[in-house]
Amino acid sequence: MLLGEAGAGKTCAALLLAKFAKTLVFFSRYRDWCDRLRWAKRGELQSLSGFRLSEVEVWDEWRRAQFAVLDDIGARREISDHAYEALIGALDRREGMPTVYTSNLSLEEFGRSYDDRVASRLSAGTLVYVEGDQRVLGAAGCPDFTEILP
């Protein structure tokens, strides 16, 4: 779990970790992940080749990744039931697997915004508090997601 203020470089650090994983990587911003699950549930999600993806297939994709990143969790303060279920499902399905979660929220804020169960699961692994201002350094050393595709 990478925690810290906006602009500290959490996403960049997660992308660098993914780049050096040299394996099947799944990367998504949390809001995009929630949208992806919602579209799959409604039967509106299609693969790049045009096939419809089910919610089960989306979860399988998440679970099969050898390294996963869920970026910017809790960026919005209002947590819908769907957003809660998307996060708790992601945490449960990746338990014990190499996964990086990034957020501007502290664990205490997760406990208040989501619940203690989510905060507990997020704190089960290594916690890294990222400080500084990555914006001052620029994004020169930060890979684009397309650089980490196997």
Side-chain angles (χ1 to χ4, degrees), residues 45-82:
L45 183 64
Q46 291 187 346
S47 69
L48 293 175
S49 54
F51 294 102
R52 183 169 285 144
L53 294 173
S54 71
E55 186 178 11
V56 170
E57 290 170 310
V58 171
W59 282 117
D60 283 347
E61 184 180 53
W62 171 251
R63 179 84 172 96
R64 274 194 325 266
Q66 294 162 340
F67 186 89
V69 176
L70 200 52
D71 186 41
D72 253 351
I73 300 169
R76 301 183 72 144
R77 299 294 181 198
E78 306 84 38
I79 308 303
S80 68
D81 289 343
H82 173 72

Side-chain angles (χ1 to χ4, degrees), residues 12 15-16 19 27 139-149:
C12 184
L15 286 168
L16 285 168
K19 181 177 180 178
F27 177 93
C142 191
D144 183 277
F145 178 69
T146 58
E147 293 179 42
I148 64 172
L149 295 174

